[in-house]
Amino acid sequence: MTSTMIVLIVGIVVVLTAVYISWRAGRLDRLHIRLELAQESLDAALMRRRAVVLELAGSRLLDPATSLVLAAAAHEARSAGPEEREHAESDLSRTLRAVVDQDRFREKLAESPGGRELLEELDAAVAKVVYSRRFFNNAVAVTRAAQDRWLARTLRLAGHTEYPQFFEIDDNPPAAMATE
């Protein structure tokens, strides 16, 4: 083998390696973009759920105590800091289950003027939170797996981005919603 042939083979290997590394870095970048979009979608779904719960609490269709409990849980979820956010959102889910799962709650609310529309909005908002959280956590798992690969760790392809964290909340819908 001539020295020209060796240089050519080494050059091809270097170019192919560079292309592969560039492809992996691009994939990791796309995963981070997907993760950011999933985070925004989850934030919007949580905000929508809080807004619908506050609208329900202020609708005067519920008794004052129930309205106060719902409004307090929604306000706590809205004003929670990053450290308390998962706990506050879980509390809102539990409060919502306690209220909606009362005997004949849905029937009574549906009979009220505007109550049926509020129930439909609430059902949609609760379902959107469940799906958005699943999508976000899936994006976190895929991004973590890509960041944990030896090439990404060795060459620091993720740069200085934070290691993504799962968003774990109790987002089980009320039993009355799940049966319909």
Side-chain angles (χ1 to χ4, degrees), residues 91-118:
D91 283 348
L92 178 57
S93 295
R94 286 188 285 275
T95 302
L96 200 52
R97 275 197 308 271
V99 168
V100 175
D101 287 342
Q102 294 176 23
D103 284 339
R104 296 191 26 84
F105 175 83
R106 291 181 69 82
E107 293 84 8
K108 290 177 190 173
L109 192 59
E111 292 169 359
S112 304
R116 184 171 305 281
E117 291 80 16
L118 262 173

PDB file of all heavy atoms in Angstrom, residues 91-118:
ATOM      1  N   ASP A  91     -51.757  18.438  44.413  1.00  0.00           N
ATOM      2  CA  ASP A  91     -52.831  18.842  45.339  1.00  0.00           C
ATOM      3  C   ASP A  91     -54.068  19.302  44.573  1.00  0.00           C
ATOM      4  O   ASP A  91     -55.197  18.980  44.958  1.00  0.00           O
ATOM      5  CB  ASP A  91     -52.363  19.960  46.267  1.00  0.00           C
ATOM      6  CG  ASP A  91     -51.462  19.458  47.383  1.00  0.00           C
ATOM      7  OD1 ASP A  91     -51.385  18.232  47.585  1.00  0.00           O
ATOM      8  OD2 ASP A  91     -50.837  20.309  48.048  1.00  0.00           O
ATOM      9  N   LEU A  92     -53.852  20.033  43.483  1.00  0.00           N
ATOM     10  CA  LEU A  92     -54.983  20.468  42.666  1.00  0.00           C
ATOM     11  C   LEU A  92     -55.709  19.260  42.068  1.00  0.00           C
ATOM     12  O   LEU A  92     -56.945  19.213  42.052  1.00  0.00           O
ATOM     13  CB  LEU A  92     -54.525  21.422  41.565  1.00  0.00           C
ATOM     14  CG  LEU A  92     -55.611  21.921  40.604  1.00  0.00           C
ATOM     15  CD1 LEU A  92     -56.743  22.609  41.356  1.00  0.00           C
ATOM     16  CD2 LEU A  92     -55.009  22.848  39.562  1.00  0.00           C
ATOM     17  N   SER A  93     -54.968  18.275  41.625  1.00  0.00           N
ATOM     18  CA  SER A  93     -55.590  17.057  41.071  1.00  0.00           C
ATOM     19  C   SER A  93     -56.415  16.336  42.133  1.00  0.00           C
ATOM     20  O   SER A  93     -57.544  15.907  41.865  1.00  0.00           O
ATOM     21  CB  SER A  93     -54.521  16.098  40.530  1.00  0.00           C
ATOM     22  OG  SER A  93     -53.846  16.646  39.439  1.00  0.00           O
ATOM     23  N   ARG A  94     -55.856  16.214  43.331  1.00  0.00           N
ATOM     24  CA  ARG A  94     -56.575  15.532  44.410  1.00  0.00           C
ATOM     25  C   ARG A  94     -57.825  16.321  44.823  1.00  0.00           C
ATOM     26  O   ARG A  94     -58.878  15.734  45.064  1.00  0.00           O
ATOM     27  CB  ARG A  94     -55.646  15.310  45.603  1.00  0.00           C
ATOM     28  CG  ARG A  94     -54.628  14.201  45.358  1.00  0.00           C
ATOM     29  CD  ARG A  94     -53.858  13.862  46.615  1.00  0.00           C
ATOM     30  NE  ARG A  94     -52.854  14.859  46.961  1.00  0.00           N
ATOM     31  CZ  ARG A  94     -51.629  14.905  46.470  1.00  0.00           C
ATOM     32  NH1 ARG A  94     -51.229  13.988  45.616  1.00  0.00           N
ATOM     33  NH2 ARG A  94     -50.783  15.831  46.842  1.00  0.00           N
ATOM     34  N   THR A  95     -57.714  17.627  44.882  1.00  0.00           N
ATOM     35  CA  THR A  95     -58.860  18.460  45.232  1.00  0.00           C
ATOM     36  C   THR A  95     -59.947  18.338  44.170  1.00  0.00           C
ATOM     37  O   THR A  95     -61.130  18.206  44.486  1.00  0.00           O
ATOM     38  CB  THR A  95     -58.429  19.932  45.380  1.00  0.00           C
ATOM     39  OG1 THR A  95     -57.410  20.021  46.378  1.00  0.00           O
ATOM     40  CG2 THR A  95     -59.597  20.814  45.760  1.00  0.00           C
ATOM     41  N   LEU A  96     -59.532  18.367  42.931  1.00  0.00           N
ATOM     42  CA  LEU A  96     -60.483  18.235  41.834  1.00  0.00           C
ATOM     43  C   LEU A  96     -61.196  16.884  41.884  1.00  0.00           C
ATOM     44  O   LEU A  96     -62.421  16.815  41.689  1.00  0.00           O
ATOM     45  CB  LEU A  96     -59.733  18.395  40.515  1.00  0.00           C
ATOM     46  CG  LEU A  96     -60.517  18.761  39.275  1.00  0.00           C
ATOM     47  CD1 LEU A  96     -61.374  19.987  39.518  1.00  0.00           C
ATOM     48  CD2 LEU A  96     -59.561  19.002  38.131  1.00  0.00           C
ATOM     49  N   ARG A  97     -60.455  15.833  42.185  1.00  0.00           N
ATOM     50  CA  ARG A  97     -61.082  14.509  42.317  1.00  0.00           C
ATOM     51  C   ARG A  97     -62.082  14.487  43.466  1.00  0.00           C
ATOM     52  O   ARG A  97     -63.177  13.943  43.335  1.00  0.00           O
ATOM     53  CB  ARG A  97     -60.026  13.425  42.533  1.00  0.00           C
ATOM     54  CG  ARG A  97     -59.433  12.902  41.261  1.00  0.00           C
ATOM     55  CD  ARG A  97     -58.733  11.579  41.472  1.00  0.00           C
ATOM     56  NE  ARG A  97     -57.763  11.592  42.551  1.00  0.00           N
ATOM     57  CZ  ARG A  97     -56.483  11.925  42.419  1.00  0.00           C
ATOM     58  NH1 ARG A  97     -56.011  12.287  41.240  1.00  0.00           N
ATOM     59  NH2 ARG A  97     -55.674  11.898  43.451  1.00  0.00           N
ATOM     60  N   ALA A  98     -61.702  15.082  44.582  1.00  0.00           N
ATOM     61  CA  ALA A  98     -62.601  15.099  45.745  1.00  0.00           C
ATOM     62  C   ALA A  98     -63.895  15.843  45.427  1.00  0.00           C
ATOM     63  O   ALA A  98     -64.974  15.431  45.855  1.00  0.00           O
ATOM     64  CB  ALA A  98     -61.903  15.732  46.945  1.00  0.00           C
ATOM     65  N   VAL A  99     -63.806  16.914  44.672  1.00  0.00           N
ATOM     66  CA  VAL A  99     -64.991  17.712  44.351  1.00  0.00           C
ATOM     67  C   VAL A  99     -65.840  17.020  43.284  1.00  0.00           C
ATOM     68  O   VAL A  99     -67.043  16.840  43.458  1.00  0.00           O
ATOM     69  CB  VAL A  99     -64.583  19.128  43.885  1.00  0.00           C
ATOM     70  CG1 VAL A  99     -65.750  19.870  43.274  1.00  0.00           C
ATOM     71  CG2 VAL A  99     -64.003  19.910  45.051  1.00  0.00           C
ATOM     72  N   VAL A 100     -65.225  16.621  42.195  1.00  0.00           N
ATOM     73  CA  VAL A 100     -65.985  16.062  41.074  1.00  0.00           C
ATOM     74  C   VAL A 100     -66.562  14.687  41.402  1.00  0.00           C
ATOM     75  O   VAL A 100     -67.611  14.320  40.883  1.00  0.00           O
ATOM     76  CB  VAL A 100     -65.104  16.008  39.800  1.00  0.00           C
ATOM     77  CG1 VAL A 100     -65.814  15.317  38.660  1.00  0.00           C
ATOM     78  CG2 VAL A 100     -64.711  17.425  39.391  1.00  0.00           C
ATOM     79  N   ASP A 101     -65.909  13.951  42.266  1.00  0.00           N
ATOM     80  CA  ASP A 101     -66.394  12.611  42.603  1.00  0.00           C
ATOM     81  C   ASP A 101     -67.468  12.603  43.693  1.00  0.00           C
ATOM     82  O   ASP A 101     -67.862  11.535  44.163  1.00  0.00           O
ATOM     83  CB  ASP A 101     -65.224  11.703  43.008  1.00  0.00           C
ATOM     84  CG  ASP A 101     -64.374  11.302  41.812  1.00  0.00           C
ATOM     85  OD1 ASP A 101     -64.862  11.431  40.668  1.00  0.00           O
ATOM     86  OD2 ASP A 101     -63.224  10.873  42.015  1.00  0.00           O
ATOM     87  N   GLN A 102     -67.969  13.770  44.088  1.00  0.00           N
ATOM     88  CA  GLN A 102     -69.091  13.820  45.028  1.00  0.00           C
ATOM     89  C   GLN A 102     -70.331  13.235  44.345  1.00  0.00           C
ATOM     90  O   GLN A 102     -70.453  13.265  43.112  1.00  0.00           O
ATOM     91  CB  GLN A 102     -69.393  15.262  45.437  1.00  0.00           C
ATOM     92  CG  GLN A 102     -68.317  15.926  46.233  1.00  0.00           C
ATOM     93  CD  GLN A 102     -68.650  17.383  46.506  1.00  0.00           C
ATOM     94  OE1 GLN A 102     -69.798  17.795  46.488  1.00  0.00           O
ATOM     95  NE2 GLN A 102     -67.622  18.181  46.750  1.00  0.00           N
ATOM     96  N   ASP A 103     -71.260  12.734  45.149  1.00  0.00           N
ATOM     97  CA  ASP A 103     -72.494  12.160  44.605  1.00  0.00           C
ATOM     98  C   ASP A 103     -73.232  13.172  43.744  1.00  0.00           C
ATOM     99  O   ASP A 103     -73.457  14.311  44.165  1.00  0.00           O
ATOM    100  CB  ASP A 103     -73.424  11.703  45.741  1.00  0.00           C
ATOM    101  CG  ASP A 103     -72.961  10.400  46.366  1.00  0.00           C
ATOM    102  OD1 ASP A 103     -72.198   9.670  45.698  1.00  0.00           O
ATOM    103  OD2 ASP A 103     -73.354  10.122  47.505  1.00  0.00           O
ATOM    104  N   ARG A 104     -73.554  12.760  42.549  1.00  0.00           N
ATOM    105  CA  ARG A 104     -74.362  13.528  41.594  1.00  0.00           C
ATOM    106  C   ARG A 104     -73.794  14.916  41.281  1.00  0.00           C
ATOM    107  O   ARG A 104     -74.510  15.807  40.854  1.00  0.00           O
ATOM    108  CB  ARG A 104     -75.804  13.658  42.088  1.00  0.00           C
ATOM    109  CG  ARG A 104     -76.526  12.324  42.193  1.00  0.00           C
ATOM    110  CD  ARG A 104     -78.024  12.418  42.428  1.00  0.00           C
ATOM    111  NE  ARG A 104     -78.713  13.600  41.987  1.00  0.00           N
ATOM    112  CZ  ARG A 104     -79.173  13.828  40.738  1.00  0.00           C
ATOM    113  NH1 ARG A 104     -78.964  12.944  39.810  1.00  0.00           N
ATOM    114  NH2 ARG A 104     -79.819  14.937  40.457  1.00  0.00           N
ATOM    115  N   PHE A 105     -72.489  15.106  41.472  1.00  0.00           N
ATOM    116  CA  PHE A 105     -71.892  16.410  41.191  1.00  0.00           C
ATOM    117  C   PHE A 105     -72.062  16.783  39.722  1.00  0.00           C
ATOM    118  O   PHE A 105     -72.499  17.881  39.392  1.00  0.00           O
ATOM    119  CB  PHE A 105     -70.400  16.413  41.569  1.00  0.00           C
ATOM    120  CG  PHE A 105     -69.691  17.677  41.194  1.00  0.00           C
ATOM    121  CD1 PHE A 105     -69.744  18.787  42.013  1.00  0.00           C
ATOM    122  CD2 PHE A 105     -68.990  17.767  39.995  1.00  0.00           C
ATOM    123  CE1 PHE A 105     -69.110  19.959  41.665  1.00  0.00           C
ATOM    124  CE2 PHE A 105     -68.355  18.940  39.634  1.00  0.00           C
ATOM    125  CZ  PHE A 105     -68.403  20.042  40.475  1.00  0.00           C
ATOM    126  N   ARG A 106     -71.718  15.863  38.851  1.00  0.00           N
ATOM    127  CA  ARG A 106     -71.768  16.155  37.414  1.00  0.00           C
ATOM    128  C   ARG A 106     -73.210  16.403  36.950  1.00  0.00           C
ATOM    129  O   ARG A 106     -73.448  17.296  36.140  1.00  0.00           O
ATOM    130  CB  ARG A 106     -71.134  15.023  36.617  1.00  0.00           C
ATOM    131  CG  ARG A 106     -69.623  14.935  36.834  1.00  0.00           C
ATOM    132  CD  ARG A 106     -69.010  13.818  36.029  1.00  0.00           C
ATOM    133  NE  ARG A 106     -69.023  14.070  34.604  1.00  0.00           N
ATOM    134  CZ  ARG A 106     -68.118  14.815  33.951  1.00  0.00           C
ATOM    135  NH1 ARG A 106     -67.117  15.352  34.623  1.00  0.00           N
ATOM    136  NH2 ARG A 106     -68.194  14.972  32.653  1.00  0.00           N
ATOM    137  N   GLU A 107     -74.128  15.616  37.457  1.00  0.00           N
ATOM    138  CA  GLU A 107     -75.528  15.781  37.056  1.00  0.00           C
ATOM    139  C   GLU A 107     -76.061  17.147  37.505  1.00  0.00           C
ATOM    140  O   GLU A 107     -76.729  17.845  36.742  1.00  0.00           O
ATOM    141  CB  GLU A 107     -76.407  14.659  37.631  1.00  0.00           C
ATOM    142  CG  GLU A 107     -76.116  13.295  37.057  1.00  0.00           C
ATOM    143  CD  GLU A 107     -74.950  12.582  37.733  1.00  0.00           C
ATOM    144  OE1 GLU A 107     -74.442  13.087  38.765  1.00  0.00           O
ATOM    145  OE2 GLU A 107     -74.520  11.537  37.225  1.00  0.00           O
ATOM    146  N   LYS A 108     -75.775  17.491  38.748  1.00  0.00           N
ATOM    147  CA  LYS A 108     -76.243  18.782  39.277  1.00  0.00           C
ATOM    148  C   LYS A 108     -75.630  19.944  38.502  1.00  0.00           C
ATOM    149  O   LYS A 108     -76.313  20.916  38.174  1.00  0.00           O
ATOM    150  CB  LYS A 108     -75.892  18.907  40.761  1.00  0.00           C
ATOM    151  CG  LYS A 108     -76.678  17.991  41.665  1.00  0.00           C
ATOM    152  CD  LYS A 108     -76.197  18.143  43.097  1.00  0.00           C
ATOM    153  CE  LYS A 108     -76.768  17.084  44.007  1.00  0.00           C
ATOM    154  NZ  LYS A 108     -76.183  17.135  45.348  1.00  0.00           N
ATOM    155  N   LEU A 109     -74.340  19.842  38.217  1.00  0.00           N
ATOM    156  CA  LEU A 109     -73.664  20.927  37.499  1.00  0.00           C
ATOM    157  C   LEU A 109     -74.164  21.014  36.061  1.00  0.00           C
ATOM    158  O   LEU A 109     -74.352  22.117  35.529  1.00  0.00           O
ATOM    159  CB  LEU A 109     -72.149  20.723  37.528  1.00  0.00           C
ATOM    160  CG  LEU A 109     -71.307  21.901  37.078  1.00  0.00           C
ATOM    161  CD1 LEU A 109     -71.577  23.124  37.944  1.00  0.00           C
ATOM    162  CD2 LEU A 109     -69.832  21.545  37.133  1.00  0.00           C
ATOM    163  N   ALA A 110     -74.412  19.877  35.437  1.00  0.00           N
ATOM    164  CA  ALA A 110     -74.893  19.869  34.054  1.00  0.00           C
ATOM    165  C   ALA A 110     -76.286  20.480  33.940  1.00  0.00           C
ATOM    166  O   ALA A 110     -76.640  21.036  32.890  1.00  0.00           O
ATOM    167  CB  ALA A 110     -74.892  18.452  33.499  1.00  0.00           C
ATOM    168  N   GLU A 111     -77.075  20.395  34.995  1.00  0.00           N
ATOM    169  CA  GLU A 111     -78.424  20.962  34.982  1.00  0.00           C
ATOM    170  C   GLU A 111     -78.403  22.484  35.123  1.00  0.00           C
ATOM    171  O   GLU A 111     -79.363  23.159  34.763  1.00  0.00           O
ATOM    172  CB  GLU A 111     -79.257  20.352  36.108  1.00  0.00           C
ATOM    173  CG  GLU A 111     -79.559  18.882  35.911  1.00  0.00           C
ATOM    174  CD  GLU A 111     -80.141  18.226  37.150  1.00  0.00           C
ATOM    175  OE1 GLU A 111     -80.292  18.916  38.189  1.00  0.00           O
ATOM    176  OE2 GLU A 111     -80.420  17.016  37.089  1.00  0.00           O
ATOM    177  N   SER A 112     -77.315  23.026  35.650  1.00  0.00           N
ATOM    178  CA  SER A 112     -77.207  24.478  35.846  1.00  0.00           C
ATOM    179  C   SER A 112     -76.919  25.155  34.510  1.00  0.00           C
ATOM    180  O   SER A 112     -76.294  24.585  33.632  1.00  0.00           O
ATOM    181  CB  SER A 112     -76.066  24.793  36.812  1.00  0.00           C
ATOM    182  OG  SER A 112     -76.254  24.112  38.025  1.00  0.00           O
ATOM    183  N   PRO A 113     -77.363  26.419  34.356  1.00  0.00           N
ATOM    184  CA  PRO A 113     -77.051  27.136  33.118  1.00  0.00           C
ATOM    185  C   PRO A 113     -75.534  27.346  32.989  1.00  0.00           C
ATOM    186  O   PRO A 113     -74.890  27.852  33.902  1.00  0.00           O
ATOM    187  CB  PRO A 113     -77.772  28.472  33.263  1.00  0.00           C
ATOM    188  CG  PRO A 113     -78.491  28.437  34.561  1.00  0.00           C
ATOM    189  CD  PRO A 113     -78.180  27.181  35.264  1.00  0.00           C
ATOM    190  N   GLY A 114     -74.981  26.915  31.877  1.00  0.00           N
ATOM    191  CA  GLY A 114     -73.541  27.035  31.642  1.00  0.00           C
ATOM    192  C   GLY A 114     -72.734  25.932  32.283  1.00  0.00           C
ATOM    193  O   GLY A 114     -71.526  25.840  32.060  1.00  0.00           O
ATOM    194  N   GLY A 115     -73.368  25.096  33.058  1.00  0.00           N
ATOM    195  CA  GLY A 115     -72.652  24.033  33.759  1.00  0.00           C
ATOM    196  C   GLY A 115     -72.115  22.955  32.835  1.00  0.00           C
ATOM    197  O   GLY A 115     -71.006  22.466  33.008  1.00  0.00           O
ATOM    198  N   ARG A 116     -72.901  22.596  31.826  1.00  0.00           N
ATOM    199  CA  ARG A 116     -72.463  21.555  30.889  1.00  0.00           C
ATOM    200  C   ARG A 116     -71.195  21.992  30.145  1.00  0.00           C
ATOM    201  O   ARG A 116     -70.264  21.215  29.969  1.00  0.00           O
ATOM    202  CB  ARG A 116     -73.577  21.213  29.914  1.00  0.00           C
ATOM    203  CG  ARG A 116     -73.222  20.073  28.974  1.00  0.00           C
ATOM    204  CD  ARG A 116     -74.387  19.589  28.147  1.00  0.00           C
ATOM    205  NE  ARG A 116     -75.549  19.193  28.931  1.00  0.00           N
ATOM    206  CZ  ARG A 116     -75.676  18.039  29.577  1.00  0.00           C
ATOM    207  NH1 ARG A 116     -74.685  17.182  29.561  1.00  0.00           N
ATOM    208  NH2 ARG A 116     -76.781  17.759  30.240  1.00  0.00           N
ATOM    209  N   GLU A 117     -71.167  23.254  29.722  1.00  0.00           N
ATOM    210  CA  GLU A 117     -69.991  23.768  29.010  1.00  0.00           C
ATOM    211  C   GLU A 117     -68.757  23.766  29.921  1.00  0.00           C
ATOM    212  O   GLU A 117     -67.650  23.435  29.492  1.00  0.00           O
ATOM    213  CB  GLU A 117     -70.246  25.182  28.481  1.00  0.00           C
ATOM    214  CG  GLU A 117     -71.264  25.255  27.365  1.00  0.00           C
ATOM    215  CD  GLU A 117     -72.708  25.216  27.859  1.00  0.00           C
ATOM    216  OE1 GLU A 117     -72.953  25.437  29.074  1.00  0.00           O
ATOM    217  OE2 GLU A 117     -73.592  24.941  27.030  1.00  0.00           O
ATOM    218  N   LEU A 118     -68.970  24.140  31.182  1.00  0.00           N
ATOM    219  CA  LEU A 118     -67.858  24.117  32.137  1.00  0.00           C
ATOM    220  C   LEU A 118     -67.346  22.695  32.345  1.00  0.00           C
ATOM    221  O   LEU A 118     -66.135  22.478  32.430  1.00  0.00           O
ATOM    222  CB  LEU A 118     -68.300  24.708  33.473  1.00  0.00           C
ATOM    223  CG  LEU A 118     -67.949  26.162  33.722  1.00  0.00           C
ATOM    224  CD1 LEU A 118     -68.584  26.661  35.008  1.00  0.00           C
ATOM    225  CD2 LEU A 118     -66.464  26.371  33.755  1.00  0.00           C
TER     226      LEU A 118
END
